[in-house]
Amino acid sequence: MPHADRQRRQGRRAVVVGAGFGGMAAALRLRARGYDVTLLDRLSRPGGRAQVYRRGGFTFDAGPTVVTAPFLFRELFELFEKNLDDYVDLVPVEPWYRYQFADGKTFDYGGSLENTLQEIARFEPSDVEGYRRLVAMSEKIFDKGFTELADQPFHRFGTMLRTLPALLRLKSYKTVSQLVGSFLKNEQLRQAFCIHPLLVGGNPFDTTSIYALIHFLERRWGVHFPMGGTGALVDGIARLIEEEGVQFRGDSTVAELVVERGAARGVVLESGERLEADVVVVNGDPPFLYRHMIDARHRRRWTDRRVDRLKYSMGLFVLYFGTNQRYPDVPHHTIVLGPRFKGLLKDIFHKQVLTEDFSVYLHRPTATDPSLAPEGKDGFYALVPVPNLEADIDWSVAGPELRDRLVDFLDDRILPGLRDTITEDFFVTPKTFESRFLSHKGSGFSIQPIFRQSAWFRFHNVSEDVEDLYLVGAGTHPGAGMPGVLCSAKILDRVVPEPARS
């Protein structure tokens, strides 16, 4: 149906399925354009994976904790002539990350360029100039991949054809590891500066170098953290949603998408209730959407077989814990690298085996906001990349075993005395992601960000199978991470027709 015809008949009712950051942003953007919006989530509160656990006086952020493009949040409030600062207190974090290598060396990354160059000189003076060139290259990729393309729809192949020459000039056929390795000699520095794909579910040795733009993204705006935790950021957006008349309904699991004459016309909840809509936006895992929420007779492109043949991100094991003492020398974000790097990633992504060694992203939010733990105590989570559920792992057995090995590892490497001071600990596994967040194969970030699953090759924001169905979130274009999911919602402004006026 021609776009003009669709625009003439488009009604005002929109249903957004999934209240993660992408869904909340989508609901606000549709509301700002005049839609009557209902926002649904199967959990009781909004936030999606950015849930909050409260145990024994500790506040644990369940999901994302690194804010790198705060302007994307500000835009949501500016749609209604409001100010983010009146709702959320975002503060800069420095260093952005501390890398701790297997030999005990540490590398503090963040702050000014000169600070980073001084740290690099401690490892390899000859890499100082190489890093300058890496930053310059990352900026070029950022200017194209983020500034120009992150909020552009890629559901038409012509868009990909027009963009392809520029992507090839920027060496997008290389992996992130290959790109970084062409500028830096020191192996530990190479590891530090090619690790960013793991933050969006990719193996640096497979992920297209387009994702090297994350490096400059951090350098452009820094790394921030909301006081009160990521949950406080969710609460601020939820308050705006309520003020602007979006209806949020928690504890509402969607069982099926209603498709009539090839177009989305609402959803059916597990309770049997049907909600009518003129536009449906899904902020969920696209593979789950197509395999389980849309009848096969409505799917010509995204068949079960095609969905299952995609390459999925790794799974995540996350241990949340508090301590009966503080660790003031541990910064907000620490990446603790094990004795292997490439081999470990090969085991996770390709061999799909759970190994004895691992690397850990350690989050200590009480370094920035002590109120997240009782006085004199610290709160943490330790995130370990693991194989997704394609692997033959019994997490009811492997989970407790990995918890104990992880505590021993952290005690030995970075948190001395942890075995005796740990309290209020619990963990989630890929099985949790599958059951709670409906993530296909328990993947932590939906499909991998390899070249053949990026841009036009990724799930489109405009459904290829069902009219009036739109997708936002980690699995669709432009990809995972807070900036990616917020930009996916921004794309709706370009592809969803204006609502009919009564």
Side-chain angles (χ1 to χ4, degrees), residues 411-447:
D411 189 307
D412 293 340
R413 287 284 302 270
I414 191 170
L415 302 175
L418 179 60
R419 297 180 186 90
D420 299 323
T421 65
I422 190 170
T423 183
E424 300 295 341
D425 69 287
F426 59 99
F427 59 80
V428 301
T429 74
K431 290 294 291 184
T432 313
F433 281 77
E434 178 187 53
S435 62
R436 192 172 195 210
F437 303 117
L438 305 183
S439 178
H440 193 52
K441 301 189 180 184
S443 65
F445 303 88
S446 193
I447 59 174

Side-chain angles (χ1 to χ4, degrees), residues 313-316 347-349 351-355 385-391 393 395 430 441-442:
S313 85
M314 74 286 194
L316 300 175
D347 286 339
I348 293 170
F349 283 89
K351 295 183 178 179
Q352 295 182 323
V353 295
L354 188 62
T355 60
V386 295
N388 61 37
L389 295 180
E390 290 181 330
I393 299 171
W395 282 105
K441 301 189 180 184

Side-chain angles (χ1 to χ4, degrees), residues 313-332:
S313 85
M314 74 286 194
L316 300 175
F317 176 91
V318 190
L319 175 65
Y320 303 88
F321 61 96
T323 58
N324 287 324
Q325 70 175 62
R326 287 182 62 81
Y327 290 87
D329 295 331
V330 177
H332 193 125

